[in-house]
Amino acid sequence: LCEYCPYWEDVRVRQAVALSLDTAAIAQAALGVLWQPADSMLPSSVSYYYSVGQRQQDIEKARELMAEAGYADGFEIRAVINLGSVDLATAVQACLAQIGITMNVESYDLGTQIPMWIAGETDITVDSGGESNATGDPFASTSFYYEGSTLTAARITDPEFNEYFYEGLYSVDPDERAEAYKKMQEWNYENCRIIPICESTRCTAWNSAKISSVYFTNPGRPVVTYIHFA
């Protein structure tokens, strides 16, 4: 939920958005069966992942929060997305409509969409990220969000969030890193800046007459070095 959009300044509105989402239905619409629940801003396959839980859809509570924040009648937002996220965005759009938020979706190719995100031309980012990263290090999964990110639409400048980000990034003590990343994930759950919907999964198949085995150092990123031919 983009920092510069005034509607998201009130944490109650951000919480209402989180409570409006039927994450299982959204995941099903976008990914079919190739998903699993997400319970943190970090993918479960990444180092220092910590489960903070996932809110269950509660439309009545979400509407109450919207009313408390002064938006009982809702409002309109603009969503600039890439062409690959249309199903995902449409499902989110339907959920938000139930609490009075009209999300106007514009879809573009990546070459057009990314510059628009950098320029801050969207009110909300709706996107699917990787279920893992090549190294398993949290930085690869959080670099879009910290205060130095050039991706304006995803950037979080909150001092507390960035304190945990830098502690996790620069500490050489594994316990200190784990604690910093835990606090960062807890902060995000409480503040609802990034609302995880699901983790994507993959199905890999091969012709056993030609390939005898495949070894995955990272389940989301098969490496051809470890393919053994029959």
Side-chain angles (χ1 to χ4, degrees):
L1 302 179
C2 307
E3 272 194 335
Y4 51 76
C5 177
Y7 295 123
W8 311 137
E9 290 182 3
D10 194 317
V11 67
R12 293 171 295 184
V13 179
R14 303 197 300 270
Q15 291 170 343
V17 170
L19 290 170
S20 76
L21 302 181
D22 183 341
T23 54
I26 295 170
Q28 181 72 26
L31 299 170
V33 299
L34 296 178
W35 66 277
Q36 63 184 29
D39 54 9
S40 182
M41 63 175 288
L42 283 181
S44 58
S45 59
V46 170
S47 300
Y48 304 107
Y49 150 83
Y50 178 76
S51 172
V52 295
Q54 188 176 52
R55 290 178 173 85
Q56 299 300 309
Q57 186 184 44
D58 189 336
I59 297 298
E60 182 177 349
K61 179 62 177 178
R63 288 171 177 164
E64 289 177 5
L65 289 168
M66 289 285 286
E68 289 175 12
Y71 296 112
D73 296 328
F75 49 78
E76 290 190 27
I77 58 172
R78 180 189 188 192
V80 172
I81 65 166
N82 69 68
L83 292 170
S85 297
V86 172
D87 290 341
L88 178 65
T90 301
V92 170
Q93 181 186 53
C95 290
L96 294 181
Q98 295 181 83
I99 61 171
I101 298 177
T102 300
M103 187 173 86
N104 300 306
V105 177
E106 303 173 23
S107 57
Y108 303 92
D109 61 90
L110 278 173
T112 303
Q113 173 242 323
I114 293 298
M116 294 177 76
W117 278 20
I118 292 173
E121 296 179 12
T122 186
D123 297 320
I124 185 173
T125 62
V126 181
D127 197 13
S128 56
E131 69 273 23
S132 58
N133 63 62
T135 64
D137 190 271
F139 178 76
S141 296
T142 57
S143 59
F144 291 128
Y145 305 123
Y146 85 114
E147 62 186 357
S149 172
T150 58
L151 196 61
T152 310
R155 187 165 57 208
I156 300 173
T157 60
D158 183 274
E160 185 177 355
F161 176 88
N162 283 279
E163 177 185 349
Y164 301 143
F165 174 87
Y166 288 121
E167 285 179 3
L169 178 63
Y170 293 120
S171 176
V172 294
D173 185 308
D175 292 335
E176 289 181 1
R177 292 196 81 198
E179 183 63 19
Y181 281 123
K182 175 185 175 183
K183 289 180 178 178
M184 183 179 71
Q185 291 166 87
E186 291 175 331
W187 180 94
N188 182 67
Y189 180 82
E190 293 170 1
N191 288 274
C192 297
R193 274 296 172 189
I194 303 162
I195 303 173
I197 294 173
C198 67
E199 293 186 24
S200 60
T201 58
R202 301 190 187 197
C203 176
T204 303
W206 60 85
N207 185 338
S208 59
K210 297 183 178 180
I211 297 176
S212 61
S213 65
V214 178
Y215 173 68
F216 299 96
T217 55
N218 184 313
R221 297 175 182 270
V223 180
V224 294
T225 304
Y226 301 108
I227 293 177
H228 302 285
F229 293 94

Coordinates of all heavy atoms in Angstrom, one line a residue, residues 3 35 44 54 108 139 145 163 209:
E3 N 3.1 4.4 0.2 CA 3.2 5.4 1.3 C 2.6 6.8 0.9 O 2.0 7.5 1.7 CB 4.6 5.6 1.7 CG 5.1 4.7 2.7 CD 6.4 5.1 3.3 OE1 7.2 5.8 2.7 OE2 6.7 4.7 4.5
W35 N -0.1 -22.9 -5.4 CA 0.1 -21.9 -4.3 C 0.0 -22.5 -3.0 O -0.5 -23.6 -2.8 CB -0.9 -20.7 -4.4 CG -2.3 -21.1 -4.2 CD1 -3.2 -21.7 -5.1 CD2 -3.0 -21.0 -2.9 NE1 -4.4 -22.0 -4.4 CE2 -4.3 -21.6 -3.1 CE3 -2.7 -20.6 -1.7 CZ2 -5.3 -21.6 -2.1 CZ3 -3.6 -20.6 -0.6 CH2 -4.9 -21.1 -0.9
S44 N 8.6 -18.3 2.8 CA 9.0 -19.3 3.8 C 10.3 -20.0 3.5 O 11.0 -20.6 4.4 CB 7.9 -20.4 4.0 OG 7.6 -21.0 2.8
Q54 N -1.6 -15.1 9.4 CA -2.4 -14.4 8.3 C -3.8 -14.1 8.7 O -4.5 -14.9 9.3 CB -2.4 -15.3 7.1 CG -3.0 -14.7 5.8 CD -2.9 -15.6 4.6 OE1 -3.4 -16.7 4.7 NE2 -2.4 -15.1 3.5
Y108 N -0.4 -2.9 -18.0 CA 0.6 -2.6 -19.0 C 1.7 -3.6 -19.1 O 1.9 -4.4 -18.2 CB 1.3 -1.2 -18.7 CG 0.3 -0.1 -18.6 CD1 -0.2 0.3 -17.3 CD2 -0.1 0.7 -19.7 CE1 -1.1 1.4 -17.2 CE2 -0.9 1.8 -19.5 CZ -1.4 2.1 -18.3 OH -2.3 3.1 -18.2
F139 N 17.8 -10.0 2.0 CA 17.9 -8.8 1.2 C 17.3 -8.8 -0.2 O 16.7 -7.9 -0.6 CB 19.4 -8.4 1.1 CG 19.6 -7.1 0.3 CD1 19.4 -5.9 0.9 CD2 20.1 -7.2 -1.0 CE1 19.5 -4.7 0.2 CE2 20.3 -6.0 -1.7 CZ 20.0 -4.8 -1.1
Y145 N 11.7 -2.6 -0.7 CA 10.9 -1.9 0.3 C 11.6 -0.9 1.1 O 10.9 0.0 1.7 CB 10.2 -3.0 1.2 CG 9.5 -4.1 0.5 CD1 9.8 -5.4 0.6 CD2 8.4 -3.7 -0.4 CE1 9.1 -6.4 -0.1 CE2 7.8 -4.7 -1.1 CZ 8.1 -6.1 -0.9 OH 7.4 -7.0 -1.6
E163 N 15.1 0.6 10.6 CA 16.0 0.2 11.7 C 16.2 -1.3 11.6 O 17.3 -1.8 11.7 CB 15.5 0.7 13.0 CG 16.4 0.2 14.2 CD 15.8 0.6 15.5 OE1 14.8 1.4 15.6 OE2 16.3 0.1 16.6
A209 N 12.7 -41.0 -19.7 CA 13.5 -41.8 -20.7 C 14.7 -41.0 -21.1 O 15.7 -41.5 -21.6 CB 12.7 -42.1 -21.9

